Each structure stands twice: as structure tokens, then as C-alpha cells.
Amino acid sequence: MQANRILRQYAEESAVLWGLRSRVARKPDASFKRLVDFDWRLEAHLDGLRTAGKAGCEIALEVLGEGGRGALFAAAATALALSGEKGLIELLPQCKGEKAFVEMASALAWVSPAWFIENAAKWVMAEDTGGIALIACSLMRHDPGESLDFAANSGDPFRSARAFRTAGELGRRDMIGSIESALRSENSDVRGWAAWSGARFRSPAAQAALLELVFDMPFGEIAAPMAGRACDAPAIRESIARPGLSPDALRRAIMLAGHLGDPVTVPLLLDQMQDDIQARQAAEAFSNITGVDLVREHLVRPPPETPDDADLTADDPDTDLAWPDHWKASVWWENHTSSYESGVRYVAGVPARSNAVGGLLNNRRQGFRAIAAVELSVQRPGQPILNVRAPAFRQQASQLV
């Protein structure tokens, strides 16, 4: 039937669009407007499935059975809107592993049903839905109350780590005792997220632990933004200046410099732009401090030629970042250096203690919005951190953007 073909197209394209919007939300140079456009396209496809009722659900489940990233999100977003709790329970057998948890939780955050929000504690406490519910509360910045303490001290490393992360995202300073105790956990994820949240809450022990974690391979890229904003500037500068850093550790030091926001590190970043291994991350850190758009200001160069024996299947962590032209960037800095004061921390060209930081959340590139959200969270440790990757229409409804 023609109707079924259209519904299948809605389901398949919803899955694809969810994957694309997830990547756009994480791209440093993607604009908030671009995220808005993707999210309205995705919502239009989901609305087509919901409007079809039972037939829409059945087609979405059929596509889910064929596998593929985003298919669980599409099926869940449809089922949750039409069937409520029943839709969640019926799809639980499909939720195996963290990636599936994230898709289901993303659907909950997209639909944001009242029955979940009003009884979040029940879902967090339940054995079969606890992990999904914690991720959903994290994405929605919804506080499930005392059940978050229960999850943090559950003894389950996955739930504990998620609970400590959510505590930091929500501004749950009342959990600082559990957070500091978790710094001694044998599980690296539990330690990492406890340090991340504790650093936001200005715990000296957590700040010291997080600064060390910047140079830890599994957690370093997560740690750097909060460490750069929450930890003491002298300790950060000392970490950046460590001698004999490996290429991976140097990359994290460069990230840390960008999140510190002090123009005193710009000469280091300009120097690293000459190294193809570090050039793009150094350019991103330079932009995070100065607010300059390298592409718009024509401060970029073509990528270097790929050697014939290069491994083209290897992951490139900087694939979304621009290749800087060292000479042009140096000239730009020479012409603008008087606009910046060494020792002052900047967020995309705005002094961190300026009221203008909040303005960065409105229709700027995602990378700047993310560091502005972290900076504001450090200044206001008892308030939730704006989730700059949340559905765009929910961010707009929050009146913060």
C-alpha cells in the first residue's frame, strides 16, 4: 500500500535524521540554527508516524526489527507518545547495552511525557529501567530526588557513574559527600564523573582529581572542558606546561588551554598550529579563547595531502575541525592582541565574568554554546547546566536561548 510505503519512509528517515542531528549537536562549528532545522525535520517525520496511530507504530517496529542506528529511537518516540508506559515496557527487551539505553532515553527526552517526569524516581529505582531512566533524567535535566542518591550508592558501576554525572548536571550539591567518597572508587567511570561533578561544586579534592584525568586516555576529553573552567588557573597552567608530553597528552593540554581561556597560552597554540598532528585542536582552542571564526576570517588552509600508505579507516578525532593557516592566524593575533588581557579567562572572546557569556547560548556555534554553558554552571553551581544538545524546541521553550 502507498500509505505503508510513506510510513516506512517516515520511520527510516526518522532513524537517519536522529543520527545526523546527534552528530550536528556535537559539531563545534554547527550553528544552533542548523540544529533547529534538523530537529524540526525530525519532529515532522515523527509526527507523521504518530498521526497514523497503530499503523505508524507497527511500521516503526518493523524497521526496528531490521536493525540500524536510530531505529529504536524512532520506534520508541512513536510508541511512547501513543501508548505511554506500555510503550516503554514493551520495548525494554530491545534495550540491550548502553547504545540502546541512550536511544530509548533520547526518545523519552524527546517526548518528555508527564507520566515519566512525575514518577521518575520509580523508574530510576526499578531494576529493568534504572539505567535508561538515569540517562533520560540527565538529558532532560530532571531531578528524580532521593532516587539519585540511591543510584549513586547502588554498587552498580554503570548506574553509579550515571548518577554522579547527573548530580553534576543538575546542580545537586547536597550529594558532595557521596561524590568525594567516590573519588576513591576502583571503577574509572565512577571516579571520573564524581571528579567532574565535584569540581563543579568547588571541591578541592575533586578539582585536583579532574585535572589529572585530563591526561587520562579514556576520560580526558570529557574532563578538559570542566577542568579548564572549574580548576584554579595556576594549577591548569602548570599542567599545560608539563615537559615531555606524549602526542595524546599534548592534545589534551591544548584542549585544556582553550577551556582555561587565558590569552597567555595563545603563543603555544599558534606554535602547535604548525604541527599537523595538533594543528586543528590548537586552532579550536584558539577560537575558544578569542571567539574568532577561522573559516569566516579566512584563516584556514587546505588539509595536507594524505600519504599513499595512510590508514584511511582510522578514526580522526578532529575530523570536524578546520585546518588553520599558522601565518594568517599569527597575523590576526598580532592585530587583535590588544583586545585581550593576559590573566583574564575568556569564553569565545567574552570575559568569563561578563554578563555577555549568557548571550553566547543564543544562536551561536555549538562549541561556543557548550563552553558557555559549562562556564555558567561553574558560576552557578546549584543550578542545572543547560543541555546544548537537547531538542532545539525544548531549549527555545526554556527561554535561555
Side-chain angles (χ1 to χ4, degrees):
M1 292 175 59
Q2 178 67 15
N4 282 353
R5 284 198 294 271
I6 293 172
L7 291 175
R8 168 170 277 275
Q9 183 177 0
Y10 284 154
E12 291 174 345
E13 292 186 2
S14 292
V16 172
L17 283 168
W18 179 78
L20 290 174
R21 72 84 55 197
S22 298
R23 181 175 178 185
V24 166
R26 287 170 169 78
K27 282 192 69 171
D29 64 342
S31 68
F32 180 60
K33 181 181 182 302
R34 190 176 179 200
L35 183 63
V36 170
D37 292 343
F38 263 97
D39 283 359
W40 280 117
R41 285 173 61 195
L42 175 53
E43 175 58 19
H45 281 71
L46 292 172
D47 186 58
L49 291 170
R50 293 193 298 262
T51 301
K54 182 179 178 181
C57 269
E58 289 175 349
I59 294 293
L61 288 171
E62 184 180 303
V63 171
L64 172 60
E66 297 166 4
R69 186 183 183 216
L72 177 56
F73 167 85
T78 306
L80 292 169
L82 293 173
S83 304
E85 295 185 32
K86 181 183 176 184
L88 170 61
I89 293 168
E90 289 180 347
L91 282 171
L92 284 178
Q94 304 290 335
C95 298
K96 298 176 181 178
E98 186 173 356
K99 290 183 179 178
F101 282 12
V102 169
E103 287 199 33
M104 176 63 87
S106 296
L108 277 166
W110 191 275
V111 177
S112 195
W115 56 263
F116 176 81
I117 293 172
E118 292 167 2
N119 297 286
K122 176 186 79 171
W123 299 103
V124 169
M125 298 278 281
E127 183 67 28
D128 54 350
T129 61
I132 296 166
L134 281 167
I135 298 173
C137 287
S138 167
L139 295 174
M140 290 190 280
R141 301 297 194 256
H142 176 68
D143 190 346
E146 293 181 1
S147 65
L148 195 61
D149 302 77
F150 171 83
N153 296 290
S154 64
D156 179 328
F158 177 80
R159 293 195 189 193
S160 292
R162 268 288 167 179
F164 286 125
R165 172 179 180 169
T166 305
E169 292 168 334
L170 293 173
R172 285 285 302 271
R173 288 185 290 180
D174 59 297
M175 291 179 62
I176 191 62
S178 295
I179 287 169
E180 290 185 328
S181 295
L183 296 175
R184 299 185 292 274
S185 172
E186 294 181 358
N187 182 272
S188 59
D189 286 338
V190 173
R191 285 197 313 275
W193 285 112
W196 185 88
S197 295
R200 184 196 172 193
F201 299 150
R202 299 171 185 163
S203 160
Q207 289 175 340
L210 189 66
L211 199 51
E212 284 300 313
L213 284 170
V214 170
F215 299 94
D216 180 73
M217 281 297 293
F219 204 76
E221 296 197 17
I222 296 170
M226 183 62 76
R229 292 289 149 193
C231 297
D232 291 335
I236 295 173
R237 294 190 195 99
E238 185 178 334
S239 293
I240 293 169
R242 293 180 184 184
L245 293 175
S246 68
D248 284 331
L250 178 57
R251 183 173 184 274
R252 283 161 177 73
I254 289 168
M255 292 177 68
L256 188 59
H259 292 293
L260 169 64
D262 188 342
V264 76
T265 64
V266 166
L268 164 69
L269 301 178
L270 290 170
D271 184 55
Q272 291 300 321
M273 287 184 200
Q274 299 177 83
D275 179 355
D276 284 349
I277 295 175
Q278 310 295 352
R280 287 172 289 171
Q281 193 57 241
E284 184 67 12
F286 180 71
S287 291
N288 286 344
I289 296 170
T290 63
V292 65
D293 185 326
L294 273 73
V295 175
R296 182 175 297 175
E297 296 295 328
H298 307 290
L299 307 180
V300 295
R301 62 179 171 89
E305 292 186 10
T306 304
D308 292 338
D309 60 350
D311 181 6
L312 299 179
T313 64
D315 289 336
D316 181 356
D318 297 330
T319 189
D320 291 325
L321 303 181
W323 285 93
D325 185 304
H326 166 259
W327 183 80
K328 290 179 180 178
S330 298
V331 171
W332 186 96
W333 177 244
E334 185 177 341
N335 291 336
H336 293 83
T337 186
S338 61
S339 301
Y340 302 87
E341 182 181 347
S342 293
V344 174
R345 299 168 91 156
Y346 289 83
V347 182
V350 175
R353 296 300 170 176
S354 165
N355 292 332
V357 171
L360 294 171
L361 299 174
N362 186 22
N363 296 326
R364 293 296 298 271
R365 50 181 269 173
Q366 281 292 96
F368 291 169
R369 297 181 73 235
I371 59 174
V374 173
E375 174 60 38
L376 291 171
S377 79
V378 172
Q379 295 180 23
R380 308 164 186 172
Q383 296 181 19
I385 304 174
L386 175 69
N387 182 5
V388 301
R389 299 172 183 170
F393 51 86
R394 298 212 183 282
Q395 295 187 55
Q396 291 171 319
S398 72
Q399 299 183 340
L400 293 174
V401 297

